[in-house]
């Protein structure tokens, strides 16, 4: 269920001063919470975490936390970064089990854009309304990304949430609130004339 392992140690000293000292010593203060166990303050190694964060899949995967030899599965729930420097300020992890029902945000991967019929034949241009999708699923079914195939999409076509092919056990969070939340994901607009305005207007709706 997890392709990523993060090593951590229990953090005894807490507070702003302690966190500041941690960061000066290549540490990142973090917390793991949720489930039946109490929240645990932990420390991660900044350079190891930075390397993991370079992988897009890390943000939408179940992670194994190795806390002084004891492992827990979790997802990255929140990440605070320094406003000016390339530093992680704090990380929050939520404990999960295989059947835990979770809300997550996963990236959308648009494929076959260059061979899209609406672009290659129709001379249109692709406009992305969304680049990620909020989903509800179980931890074991959490996808790294959602694929959107644009190969057969023609000029003037708008792909909505209901048009996406979601993996088994994955539900759009927006659509769970009703059909009126069926927003546009991506569209192929005509390059000139009224068709473009009509396609943009449809995408807006």
């Amino acid at each position: 269920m997890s392709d990523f392992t993060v090593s951590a140690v229990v953090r005894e000293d807490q507070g702003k001063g302690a966190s500041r000292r941690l960061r000066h010593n290549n540490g990142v203060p973090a917390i793991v919470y949720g489930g039946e166990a109490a929240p645990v303050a932990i420390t991660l190694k900044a350079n190891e975490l930075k390397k993991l964060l370079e992988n897009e899949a890390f943000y939408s995967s179940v992670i194994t936390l190795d806390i002084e030899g004891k492992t827990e599965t979790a997802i990255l729930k929140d990440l605070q970064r320094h406003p000016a420097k390339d530093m992680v300020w704090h990380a929050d992890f939520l404990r999960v089990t295989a059947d835990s029902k979770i809300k997550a945000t996963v990236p959308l991967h648009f494929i076959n854009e260059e061979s899209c019929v609406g672009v290659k034949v129709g001379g249109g241009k692709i406009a992305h309304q969304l680049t990620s999708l909020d989903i509800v699923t179980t931890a074991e079914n959490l996808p790294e990304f959602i694929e959107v195939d644009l190969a057969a999409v023609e000029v003037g076509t708008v792909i909505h949430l209901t048009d996406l092919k979601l993996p088994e056990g994955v539900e759009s969070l927006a659509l769970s609130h009703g059909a009126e939340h069926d927003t546009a994901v991506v569209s192929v607009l005509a390059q000139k004339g009224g068709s473009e305005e009509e396609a943009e207007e449809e995408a807006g709706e």
Side-chain angles (χ1 to χ4, degrees), residues 59-61 75 77 100-108 130 132-147 161 164-177:
Y59 296 85
S60 54
S61 293
I75 58 171
K77 194 63 178 176
S100 295
K101 199 81 169 180
I102 58 175
K103 295 178 182 178
T105 301
V106 296
L108 294 174
L130 295 178
S132 61
L133 183 68
D134 294 330
I135 62 171
V136 179
T137 185
T138 57
E140 65 179 351
N141 289 325
L142 180 63
E144 291 182 6
F145 57 85
I146 302 294
E147 202 168 74
L161 292 176
L164 299 181
K165 295 180 180 179
L166 301 182
E168 184 178 353
V170 177
E171 179 185 6
S172 162
L173 178 61
L175 291 180
S176 69
H177 297 306

Side-chain angles (χ1 to χ4, degrees), residues 4-9 26-28 43-55 58 66 88:
F4 298 98
T5 299
V6 180
S7 298
V9 295
N26 192 42
V28 176
T43 300
L44 313 176
K45 292 182 179 179
N47 55 345
E48 292 183 5
L49 180 60
K50 183 179 179 180
K51 187 174 182 179
L52 288 167
L53 292 173
E54 292 173 355
N55 190 329
F58 184 78
D66 185 340
V88 176

Side-chain angles (χ1 to χ4, degrees), residues 112-126 150-157 187-191:
N112 296 318
E113 290 191 344
E114 293 183 359
S115 59
C116 172
V117 171
V119 175
K120 198 169 183 180
V121 179
K125 62 179 181 179
I126 295 171
L150 299 179
V153 181
E154 300 179 349
V155 171
T157 300
S187 53
V188 179
L189 308 177
Q191 287 280 25

Side-chain angles (χ1 to χ4, degrees), residues 74-90:
I75 58 171
L76 179 63
K77 194 63 178 176
D78 189 34
L79 197 67
Q80 298 173 28
R81 297 180 184 271
H82 190 282
K85 301 177 182 178
D86 184 20
M87 293 175 58
V88 176
W89 218 235
H90 193 277

Side-chain angles (χ1 to χ4, degrees), residues 17-73:
S19 295
R20 192 180 304 114
R21 288 191 295 274
L22 272 179
R23 297 184 186 107
H24 281 304
N25 290 287
N26 192 42
V28 176
I31 189 169
V32 55
Y33 61 93
E36 297 179 358
V40 177
I42 56 177
T43 300
L44 313 176
K45 292 182 179 179
N47 55 345
E48 292 183 5
L49 180 60
K50 183 179 179 180
K51 187 174 182 179
L52 288 167
L53 292 173
E54 292 173 355
N55 190 329
E56 178 191 59
F58 184 78
Y59 296 85
S60 54
S61 293
V62 176
I63 300 157
T64 298
L65 285 174
D66 185 340
I67 307 173
E68 299 181 7
K70 179 183 177 183
T71 60
E72 297 193 69
T73 50

